[in-house]
Amino acid sequence: LKHAFLKICGPCRETSAFNCCSDLLARVREACKLAKAPGDLSSNMACFTGLRDCLGAVANPIVAGGKTGSFKVCVCGGAGGIGQPLCLLMAQNPHVSELCVFDLTIAMVPAEGVATDLSHLEKKSKVKGYALDKDDKPADKLAECLTGCHLVLIPAGLPRKPGMTRSDLLGVNAGIAKNIVEACAKFCPDAILGLIVNPVNSVVPAMCELYKKAGLDPRKICGVTSLDIVRANKFVHEATGAPVEGIDVPVVGGHAGVTILPLFSQVPAAKSFTKEQIVAMDKHVQDAGTDVVNAKGGKGSATLSMAYAGAKFGNAVLCGLAGEETTECTYIMRAAAEGAPLPYLASKVTFGKTGIVKAHGIEKLNEYEQGRFEECLTQLKDEIDAGLQYAQTTSLAR
């Protein structure tokens, strides 16, 4: 029975859901006792009513414990390939009362059109679209859109084109991210910002340093790495047949190539993997984005799965803000006191009412993972340095 309930609320993987399971089991036991020894009808009804309520909470772990928020969320780049499905998912989140869809007027689909489409969903969220010309400054014109936002998700920037170096891509996309981050600093400085802007390993440090220079909290900015976890979980499920709801692979390091390090040793379902299987699975997670590009014949990238992962990250943040502390891997600035080997690193992070309440350390690694971690850090340091160098050349206008 416990296994069945853990499968139901497994996606939450948080204390609140497991407490709810324990409560549910207690109610089931009580119901069984009453069934074996029928007594007062009102006692039976009270027990089964409580059981029904508890089942409802388990079936919807997002609102387990009854703590449902009412938050304003903005998706910048909301009319794009990632943005549209991400908006669809966020509009259905029970914590979202207001959803803003922002994009440029040159987008293939008008942001207002996406918003109007989503406004017809039978959900509580109120949806509105905003659009700017490409030469407009978000900090000048997005006051209504961003003011009061609790969470801003930013699937923006250009994809890497043939012949373009990482430095070239950073120069373009850091500028795009800076314009949006600058507007957030002005209109919603307390909001959590989830960056889905490549190269994440460099763009996040650049934006955090700019926030810090502006006197704001750089831990309000997170690099969304949830897709690495989503992929690792699914690949372990496919290899083992274990229920995917009970698999949670920590993925640490960064969010590109060898900087992506899934820690399969910390997953019970993967304990039976041979060294060869772990090496192959590690590579599979690293190369998964390329697999999607190849499968789409070069005509697209991982838009749908990225939207799913972005919504997963967004839900973790909103659950935390609503009072249900929730843990999700993400790429953030690390405090010196945390003893991290680099100033920026992806690992498990717990979100609470004020945003990030704890950045978890990396648990004991096996021999293979230790070697890979050293490789990861070498590459990641260079990419972090590129972001820090960018931040030295500019500042946020306030």
Side-chain angles (χ1 to χ4, degrees), residues 253-337:
H255 186 54
V258 297
T259 70
I260 300 170
L261 176 55
L263 303 180
F264 295 112
S265 68
Q266 298 177 18
V267 182
K271 291 295 186 183
S272 63
F273 283 180
T274 65
K275 182 177 180 179
E276 290 73 20
Q277 285 177 306
I278 290 174
V279 172
M281 190 71 73
D282 181 14
K283 188 68 173 171
H284 190 19
V285 175
Q286 291 178 48
D287 294 342
T290 302
D291 293 340
V292 176
V293 172
N294 292 339
K296 290 186 175 183
K299 297 178 181 179
S301 58
T303 53
L304 300 176
S305 55
M306 184 65 248
Y308 171 88
K312 183 174 183 286
F313 166 84
N315 183 63
V317 173
L318 296 178
C319 283
L321 294 177
E324 293 285 345
E325 290 195 354
T326 306
T327 300
E328 180 78 8
C329 285
T330 187
Y331 180 62
I332 61 168
M333 175 185 276
R334 306 304 295 246

Side-chain angles (χ1 to χ4, degrees), residues 11 15 19 36 39 45 93 98 114 136 163 173 181 183 224 241 264 271 279 306 327 352 362 365-366 371:
T15 303
N19 285 345
K36 289 179 180 178
M45 289 303 295
N93 189 295
E98 186 175 354
V114 175
D136 289 338
N173 284 350
V181 168
V224 179
F264 295 112
K271 291 295 186 183
V279 172
M306 184 65 248
T327 300
I362 296 174
L365 307 178
N366 63 25

Side-chain angles (χ1 to χ4, degrees), residues 230 294 370:
V230 166
N294 292 339
Q370 187 60 51

Side-chain angles (χ1 to χ4, degrees), residues 119-336:
S119 71
H120 297 166
L121 301 185
E122 49 186 4
K123 301 295 178 181
K124 74 175 185 181
S125 56
K126 177 183 178 183
V127 189
K128 186 171 182 179
Y130 298 84
L132 298 182
D133 292 332
K134 66 181 183 65
D135 294 326
D136 289 338
K137 296 282 277 185
D140 294 336
K141 299 192 175 183
L142 286 185
E144 180 183 305
C145 175
L146 293 173
T147 298
C149 276
H150 300 89
L151 170 65
V152 181
L153 298 170
I154 308 173
L158 300 178
R160 189 173 175 181
K161 298 178 181 178
M164 181 181 282
T165 66
R166 285 189 178 276
S167 178
D168 295 335
L169 185 64
L170 174 61
V172 174
N173 284 350
I176 293 171
K178 175 181 176 287
N179 285 337
I180 298 173
V181 168
E182 190 171 73
C184 292
K186 182 177 181 180
F187 300 121
C188 55
D190 294 325
I192 299 295
L193 277 56
L195 296 184
I196 310 172
V197 184
N198 285 321
V200 167
N201 290 351
S202 300
V203 171
V204 169
M207 297 305 110
C208 286
E209 294 297 326
L210 293 179
Y211 241 48
K212 185 177 178 181
K213 283 202 291 184
L216 299 173
D217 182 1
R219 287 250 206 166
K220 296 294 185 182
I221 298 178
C222 304
V224 179
T225 62
S226 299
L227 184 52
D228 299 325
I229 294 83
V230 166
R231 287 167 168 162
N233 291 346
K234 183 60 177 291
F235 298 161
V236 170
H237 161 70
E238 290 177 335
T240 65
V244 71
E245 296 86 356
I247 299 171
D248 188 15
V249 182
V251 181
V252 302
H255 186 54
V258 297
T259 70
I260 300 170
L261 176 55
L263 303 180
F264 295 112
S265 68
Q266 298 177 18
V267 182
K271 291 295 186 183
S272 63
F273 283 180
T274 65
K275 182 177 180 179
E276 290 73 20
Q277 285 177 306
I278 290 174
V279 172
M281 190 71 73
D282 181 14
K283 188 68 173 171
H284 190 19
V285 175
Q286 291 178 48
D287 294 342
T290 302
D291 293 340
V292 176
V293 172
N294 292 339
K296 290 186 175 183
K299 297 178 181 179
S301 58
T303 53
L304 300 176
S305 55
M306 184 65 248
Y308 171 88
K312 183 174 183 286
F313 166 84
N315 183 63
V317 173
L318 296 178
C319 283
L321 294 177
E324 293 285 345
E325 290 195 354
T326 306
T327 300
E328 180 78 8
C329 285
T330 187
Y331 180 62
I332 61 168
M333 175 185 276
R334 306 304 295 246

